[in-house]
Amino acid sequence: MIEKISLRMGLDQELIWEFQRELLGSKVGTEKQDYFARIGQDEFAVISDWYNLAILEAMKLKDFQPDAAWIAKKFGVNLNQIKSAVERLKRLGILQIKDGKWIDQTKGYTSHLEKGKTSEARRNYQRQLLEKSLESLACEDHKLRDHTSMAMAIDSGDIPLAKEEIAKFRRRLSRLLEKNGNPNQVYQLQISFFGLTK
């Protein structure tokens, strides 16, 4: 319940975990259980908070600086949240830092990390991205964004087909836009496909 309420308030997963630890005290369990609980919380946070995956994508930028302050400024996110995210990615083995060099252990393919075990985490992730999309709609020049929609009458039996085609499109667009090897911005593609009738 603490987790659910805190996520809806938009709190960082690391802070939620620390709060739970303080509140529960010795009930958290042995050191070994505590470690596995922490890994579970870390996985939840990676799926739940949008900037975790965005950090990995930012590492592809030509002007990337392996510095939490630079990342926080680039994304407009609190420095402590970025520091927590970097530590979390390291603990999970997703990010390795060796001799000051940051290495993405996902081999540059982060979209599969969205398929987390916890549906609440996925909902929170999508909720955050919708909020970022609204910010973009309100603040960014239309030349730098694309917000379009389309209503259609369909046979609901074709929904699996639609989801498969959307997945193919996402992967194809990603390959097309990343092929020139000269990235200078991190963009988020979000496609919403949902029923309007009940």
Side-chain angles (χ1 to χ4, degrees):
M1 187 57 71
I2 290 168
E3 204 157 47
K4 211 174 244 191
I5 292 168
S6 300
L7 284 170
R8 287 191 180 151
M9 291 172 60
L11 298 180
D12 178 79
Q13 187 62 40
E14 190 79 10
L15 295 173
I16 297 169
W17 188 84
E18 291 300 332
F19 177 66
Q20 286 175 319
R21 186 178 170 87
E22 266 185 47
L23 187 67
L24 299 173
S26 61
K27 294 179 186 176
V28 172
T30 66
E31 191 176 321
K32 188 175 181 183
Q33 290 169 328
D34 193 35
Y35 169 77
F36 287 111
R38 178 62 169 259
I39 293 299
Q41 295 290 343
D42 284 342
E43 287 174 348
F44 186 95
V46 166
I47 298 161
S48 182
D49 294 322
W50 68 269
Y51 48 83
N52 288 284
L53 299 179
I55 289 169
L56 299 175
E57 291 300 317
M59 291 168 57
K60 299 174 184 176
L61 299 178
K62 60 182 179 181
D63 65 340
F64 176 73
Q65 295 178 28
D67 175 66
W70 182 87
I71 296 167
K73 184 177 178 184
K74 195 81 167 169
F75 289 135
V77 174
N78 178 286
L79 177 58
N80 288 331
Q81 287 177 297
I82 296 298
K83 285 180 177 178
S84 292
V86 169
E87 288 305 312
R88 183 182 306 121
L89 293 169
K90 283 169 48 181
R91 276 194 301 273
L92 289 170
I94 295 171
L95 172 66
Q96 181 183 15
I97 299 178
K98 193 173 182 181
D99 300 325
K101 185 177 179 186
W102 291 26
I103 304 160
D104 178 358
Q105 298 297 316
T106 68
K107 309 298 181 211
Y109 182 65
T110 57
S111 63
H112 71 282
L113 294 173
E114 296 173 21
K115 299 175 184 174
K117 301 171 189 172
T118 315
S119 61
E120 183 63 32
R122 289 194 302 270
R123 283 193 296 270
N124 190 58
Y125 179 76
Q126 292 300 328
R127 193 179 302 116
Q128 288 179 5
L129 291 179
L130 285 169
E131 290 168 3
K132 298 297 287 178
S133 181
L134 289 172
E135 285 176 29
S136 172
L137 186 62
C139 303
E140 282 189 2
D141 187 304
H142 73 281
K143 294 174 186 169
L144 299 174
R145 60 173 175 78
D146 184 64
H147 286 86
T148 54
S149 61
M150 177 182 201
M152 60 187 87
I154 68 162
D155 178 340
S156 59
D158 288 334
I159 290 173
L161 173 64
K163 292 173 85 167
E164 183 182 322
E165 290 299 314
I166 289 168
K168 285 180 190 174
F169 166 72
R170 286 193 330 249
R171 289 190 288 267
R172 190 169 59 244
L173 184 63
S174 178
R175 283 193 303 270
L176 178 68
L177 296 178
E178 291 184 347
K179 74 177 182 181
N180 78 358
N182 195 30
N184 61 9
Q185 293 288 333
V186 174
Y187 263 66
Q188 178 71 41
L189 173 66
Q190 186 171 19
I191 299 171
S192 300
F193 180 69
F194 57 93
L196 295 174
T197 51
K198 303 299 178 200

